Amino acid sequence: DTAVSQTPKYLVTQMGNDKSIKCEQNLGHDTMYWYKQDSKKFLKIMFSYNNKELIINETVPNRFSPKSPDKAHLNLHINSLELGDSAVYFCASSQPGVGTDTQYFGPGTRLTVL
Amino acid sequence: GESVGLHLPTLSVQEGDNSIINCAYSNSASDYFIWYKQESGKGPQFIIDIRSNMDKRQGQRVTVLLNKTVKHLSLQIAATQPGDSAVYFCAEAHPPGNQFYFGTGTSLTVIP
């Protein structure tokens, strides 16, 4: 069983479009995250979210918004896509306070903006 | 910020040799550290972690060393195998919020 899954795996779209990436975790974790990985493999956190608190990295444009319909899902909506949004986006989840805070990552979604 | 202008450090080792991957972290308040392995086309995968009250922790074929004085973390892989070829990241977390901040990564290539 896949612990953290993302769809789609690849997303190619035109500049200016609005798109969403879905993430689901079946680990029962309370906290989920979105990361952006650029072409040089640099991994930067964008959001962390649990049912109590959304923490936003202040450098993330407000065109990006997380939406959580329930504890097992955290989707990423992106409005007015720009060329610089091209990257691989990773979803992750964790359960802080149970021995380790390790995060389990999804397989990633490669977004290409043309 | 973004790693514009930075190259991904690389390390090449012969199969069977030991590998040492180094990481310098930035925040002296960081109290939890994790090493991740990322294979091509996949998400990062947990390898081993260590808390700031420890200097060393061992796993299966891997050892993490923490030097808080110089804010340095290392990952040692014993008897490196071709399957160890990947990009390795260290990540640090500190209160408040305990969000993780990742290093730039090191690309390890194992030569058969």
Side-chain angles (χ1 to χ4, degrees):
Chain A
D1 285 343
T2 303
V4 182
S5 59
Q6 297 177 226
T7 54
K9 187 168 176 63
Y10 300 96
L11 181 55
V12 181
T13 188
Q14 297 285 337
M15 227 170 25
N17 285 348
D18 302 338
K19 290 293 179 184
S20 295
I21 305 172
K22 294 184 178 180
C23 177
E24 177 182 3
Q25 54 96 2
N26 62 8
L27 298 167
H29 289 167
D30 286 332
T31 305
M32 297 182 71
Y33 311 81
W34 277 105
Y35 286 85
K36 178 182 179 181
Q37 187 172 47
D38 65 19
S39 60
K40 293 180 171 62
K41 298 293 187 182
F42 188 69
L43 201 60
K44 185 173 74 173
I45 189 164
M46 302 176 70
F47 305 100
S48 68
Y49 182 82
N50 62 24
N51 58 3
K52 300 173 186 176
E53 189 175 17
L54 172 65
I55 300 174
I56 302 171
N57 185 321
E58 61 186 12
T59 67
V60 175
N62 58 14
R63 298 181 294 103
F64 291 78
S65 57
K67 296 283 188 342
S68 180
D70 55 59
K71 196 176 89 165
H73 296 84
L74 184 66
N75 303 324
L76 182 65
H77 295 266
I78 316 169
N79 294 325
S80 302
L81 278 155
E82 300 177 357
L83 294 177
D85 297 332
S86 295
V88 181
Y89 292 84
F90 288 99
C91 175
S93 72
S94 72
Q95 187 64 21
V98 288
T100 73
D101 294 330
T102 190
Q103 297 176 11
Y104 294 84
F105 283 78
T109 296
R110 181 174 293 278
L111 171 65
T112 302
V113 182
L114 303 175
Chain B
E2 298 292 333
S3 59
V4 176
L6 295 178
H7 297 285
L8 186 69
T10 59
L11 175 67
S12 295
V13 298
Q14 288 290 141
E15 181 178 358
D17 287 351
N18 296 334
S19 303
I20 300 177
I21 301 171
N22 296 302
C23 177
Y25 64 93
S26 56
N27 194 320
S28 57
S30 293
D31 57 4
Y32 183 56
F33 305 87
I34 295 181
W35 279 101
Y36 283 93
K37 173 187 180 183
Q38 186 178 19
E39 296 176 272
S40 180
K42 297 183 179 179
Q45 181 182 17
F46 172 88
I47 301 174
I48 192 168
D49 61 354
I50 189 169
R51 295 204 176 267
S52 59
N53 60 352
M54 301 173 69
D55 297 324
K56 179 179 179 179
R57 190 161 189 222
Q58 288 184 294
Q60 187 178 11
R61 282 202 307 119
V62 294
T63 301
V64 55
L65 298 177
L66 174 62
N67 186 330
K68 295 181 287 293
T69 302
V70 295
K71 292 187 287 190
H72 183 268
L73 198 65
S74 68
L75 176 71
Q76 300 178 1
I77 305 173
T80 315
Q81 302 168 359
D84 295 328
S85 294
V87 176
Y88 290 81
F89 293 94
C90 67
E92 60 181 301
H94 52 80
N98 289 314
Q99 290 196 43
F100 281 95
Y101 299 89
F102 282 75
T104 53
T106 296
S107 176
L108 173 67
T109 301
V110 181
I111 304 166

